[in-house]
Amino acid sequence: MVLLALTAYILLAPMVSASAGSGESARMVDEEGRHLPVLRGGWYLWDPYQYNELRNGTSVLTGLDVELTRTIARAAGFAVDYSYRPWHEHIAQLRDGHAELASGATWTADRAEFVRYSRPYRQETNVLYLPRGEASHYPFDDIQGMLRTFRDTGMRLGVISGFAYADPAVNAYIVDPENARYIVYAENDYENFRNLMDDRIDGFLADRLVASTSAWRGGWRELVDEHPFRFSVDIHFMFSKETVDPETVARFNEAILAHEETGETRRIISSYLFPLFLAQTLDSRWFSVFDIIGTVAFAISGILIAIRERYSLLGALVLAALPAVGGGALRDLLVGREPIAVLASPLYLSLVGATVLFGFLMIRAVRILRQRDWLRIRIEALGRHGLIGNLYQVSDAVGIAAFTVTGVAVAVTARTEPLWLWAPLLAMITAAGGGILRDLVRQSGSIASLKGEFYAEVPLIWGLLLSLYLTWQTPILEMDHLVMAVIVTMAGAFLTRMTAVMLRMRSPAFA
């Protein structure tokens, strides 16, 4: 009987633990073995604040607000049990006491009648999204001007059902019965974007971070514009007055303050925003052009060596591939990134293969055409002026610039700590590691980037500067500022490398 009871306990214990959180008396055991009371929370699709992410084949609830809520609740002595609820349903359940906690909330007078608010734990900025090219048609620069424009134009405005925006006047406009025929409700901003694309609405209001993320993930970035006017508000936790006492709110307030003082809030916000913003920047068309130029330039460096040292076509392919994709592969193996970038997309190896094949055919063609005196003279003139060499140095510098930013982005995405140490190292490995591997394969006995040439130092220096900027940046990171930081980093790395080439700069060497 004892054995049977013990077996039953082992089998049923996980089920009891999994069902915890359905009531006030529920308990959850944390990593430190504490039995924490559980607050019933909720979530809806609000990327990157709260969303499901696929990890090792399993769907996991994550997001900036989810992580902040869990860590602050744990510091206050509570655990949070999440279940999916559209935002308007979540508000109703807070009113009735069927839910106890909500994050990402704006203060409003009507909600204050049935919920208790915590102190602010972050800020939110709202913007108006419009079809591409329409922003210039709405020249307002304040709340009253925006609402006047809505009324005068009869704009069909998309909003999230139950959502309170960053200004009371905007919320009053939305719930005004006179404007009801112009308001179109949605459950999330993905639905707002689809309504905008299908001409069901003329524009919609949204959290700026959520809207930019949704536009990027949904492929709508090139089809929409963000109006330049923005308005912000403090964001709080909400607690149901039916089931949560003031002492619990006070404990949350103490935890929020402690997280701000220790920098934990800043760290969590940065760990979500930096990878997201960098990913959006690196996914832009202009950066992709630089990335492709850099890949081709690094492949050309391998081809030039193959020509000079009389390698076979396959040997040329190896020498071209190593500087073009070898550094990135080495970087990904170091941080355990899956899948490795070169395996995730055929683009880069295809570029290398096409460059090698084109170079092979060009060399054959030049050899044939050099038999003509007039063409031979022109080719030799190009060689004397160094045009081909200069073109290679310029494109190689572009590659260093692009790969420096890519290395920092991987360091941020992998959440390496401290960032100021790992980001420049990964930038250097990405930009110069492939060339080192190529020289090792050649067994040349001389690795230029480690023996005097001012080369690997360029991504190391500019990777450090970009990582320091990210480390010192405020928790409310502006996407525009990050894009400018990336542009400055690339321009700096490019100019530094070209200066080193023109002045024949050498690295400090041991005597």
Side-chain angles (χ1 to χ4, degrees):
M1 290 293 293
V2 174
L3 182 60
L4 181 62
L6 182 60
T7 302
Y9 173 79
I10 293 173
L11 292 174
L12 293 176
M15 297 173 60
V16 174
S17 175
S19 64
S22 60
E24 240 183 311
S25 61
R27 292 289 189 274
M28 187 179 292
V29 180
D30 72 353
E31 296 87 346
E32 300 174 4
R34 298 181 300 168
H35 289 258
L36 303 180
V38 175
L39 297 174
R40 292 168 294 175
W43 73 279
Y44 70 104
L45 183 56
W46 204 35
D47 188 6
Y49 294 114
Q50 44 197 31
Y51 60 97
N52 269 326
E53 183 178 79
L54 199 62
R55 298 178 184 172
N56 299 322
T58 304
S59 184
V60 178
L61 179 63
T62 187
L64 193 157
D65 262 0
V66 171
E67 184 68 19
L68 276 174
T69 304
R70 284 172 172 162
T71 57
I72 291 172
R74 192 181 304 121
F78 293 89
V80 181
D81 176 52
Y82 283 98
S83 59
Y84 178 81
R85 298 183 179 97
W87 183 242
H88 61 93
E89 292 182 13
H90 197 172
I91 299 298
Q93 292 183 350
L94 286 171
R95 179 188 290 108
D96 300 336
H98 298 148
E100 293 159 333
L101 170 68
S103 57
T106 303
W107 188 93
T108 65
D110 57 336
R111 289 178 183 173
E113 295 179 2
F114 59 87
V115 300
R116 308 182 198 276
Y117 281 94
S118 73
R119 64 179 289 128
Y121 69 92
R122 63 171 178 84
Q123 277 198 324
E124 173 181 300
T125 299
N126 290 170
V127 294
L128 176 67
Y129 261 79
L130 300 159
R132 174 55 61 94
E134 293 293 316
S136 59
H137 298 165
Y138 302 97
F140 55 80
D141 56 6
D142 58 22
I143 293 293
Q144 295 306 319
M146 180 177 70
L147 298 180
R148 191 182 312 112
T149 299
F150 290 168
R151 293 189 183 96
D152 293 345
T153 61
M155 175 181 282
R156 298 168 298 168
L157 185 65
V159 298
I160 293 177
S161 182
F163 196 87
Y165 292 88
D167 191 277
V170 174
N171 298 319
Y173 174 86
I174 292 171
V175 300
D176 188 340
E178 292 186 6
N179 304 320
R181 66 183 183 277
Y182 301 120
I183 305 300
V184 180
Y185 291 99
E187 286 197 1
N188 54 62
D189 282 318
Y190 286 97
E191 186 176 342
N192 273 328
F193 271 111
R194 286 191 291 268
N195 287 341
L196 188 64
M197 296 299 100
D198 294 339
D199 197 32
R200 296 192 185 100
I201 58 176
D202 301 311
F204 67 92
L205 292 170
D207 175 283
R208 191 180 182 215
L209 178 57
V210 176
S212 67
T213 304
S214 302
W216 171 56
R217 295 198 195 280
W220 297 301
R221 282 201 302 180
E222 303 300 324
L223 304 174
V224 295
D225 272 340
E226 179 186 294
H227 194 279
F229 174 64
R230 302 160 190 170
F231 51 110
S232 302
V233 70
D234 287 333
I235 295 299
H236 313 257
F237 295 114
M238 290 192 301
F239 303 86
S240 173
K241 285 185 177 180
E242 291 289 323
T243 54
V244 179
D245 55 34
E247 181 184 350
T248 296
V249 181
R251 289 165 67 179
F252 265 78
N253 286 337
E254 292 173 4
I256 292 170
L257 187 59
H259 274 58
E260 291 173 354
E261 291 175 348
T262 61
E264 183 65 9
T265 297
R266 177 186 183 129
R267 185 195 67 79
I268 292 173
I269 291 176
S270 299
S271 70
Y272 278 92
L273 294 196
F274 292 165
L276 178 66
F277 284 173
L278 278 170
Q280 292 185 43
T281 303
L282 269 58
D283 194 38
S284 60
R285 289 183 178 179
W286 65 267
F287 187 88
S288 298
V289 170
F290 286 116
D291 199 30
I292 289 172
I293 292 173
T295 301
V296 172
F298 286 159
I300 291 173
S301 71
I303 294 173
L304 295 177
I305 292 173
I307 294 171
R308 185 171 63 245
E309 300 182 5
R310 297 179 179 275
Y311 275 77
S312 67
L313 182 60
L314 179 59
L317 183 61
V318 172
L319 294 183
L322 283 174
V325 301
L330 186 63
R331 172 206 65 209
D332 292 346
L333 289 172
L334 182 63
V335 300
R337 192 180 183 203
E338 293 182 0
I340 295 175
V342 69
L343 301 179
S345 170
L347 173 64
Y348 299 103
L349 279 180
S350 299
L351 284 172
V352 172
T355 303
V356 171
L357 183 59
F358 179 77
F360 180 79
L361 295 175
M362 282 292 294
I363 293 299
R364 287 299 179 93
V366 167
R367 284 179 179 173
I368 294 172
L369 293 175
R370 283 186 67 177
Q371 297 174 7
R372 300 176 181 272
D373 291 340
W374 67 272
L375 188 58
R376 177 175 55 80
I377 294 172
R378 290 181 179 272
I379 292 173
E380 290 174 353
L382 288 176
R384 284 195 301 272
H385 287 90
L387 180 61
I388 296 175
N390 292 338
L391 182 62
Y392 164 71
Q393 292 291 2
V394 169
S395 57
D396 181 71
V398 169
I400 291 176
F403 285 11
T404 296
V405 175
T406 303
V408 174
V410 171
V412 170
T413 304
R415 300 187 182 183
T416 54
E417 293 289 344
L419 183 64
W420 61 264
L421 172 63
W422 288 106
L425 288 176
L426 293 183
M428 182 182 67
I429 291 171
T430 306
I436 295 173
L437 289 175
R438 177 197 61 204
D439 292 340
L440 289 173
V441 168
R442 290 171 57 209
Q443 296 181 338
S444 64
S446 177
I447 301 175
S449 60
L450 300 182
K451 281 194 171 183
E453 185 179 357
F454 196 81
Y455 191 92
E457 290 83 356
V458 175
L460 189 69
I461 293 169
W462 285 98
L464 175 63
L465 292 175
L466 180 56
S467 65
L468 289 176
Y469 172 82
L470 295 177
T471 302
W472 293 335
Q473 183 59 273
T474 58
I476 305 303
L477 178 67
E478 290 285 347
M479 180 69 175
D480 298 342
H481 295 170
L482 182 57
V483 171
M484 185 56 63
V486 167
I487 293 173
V488 169
T489 299
M490 291 182 62
F494 173 81
L495 293 174
T496 302
R497 175 56 188 161
M498 291 307 299
T499 301
V501 170
M502 290 186 291
L503 300 182
R504 298 184 180 180
M505 292 171 55
R506 307 287 291 176
S507 299
F510 283 92

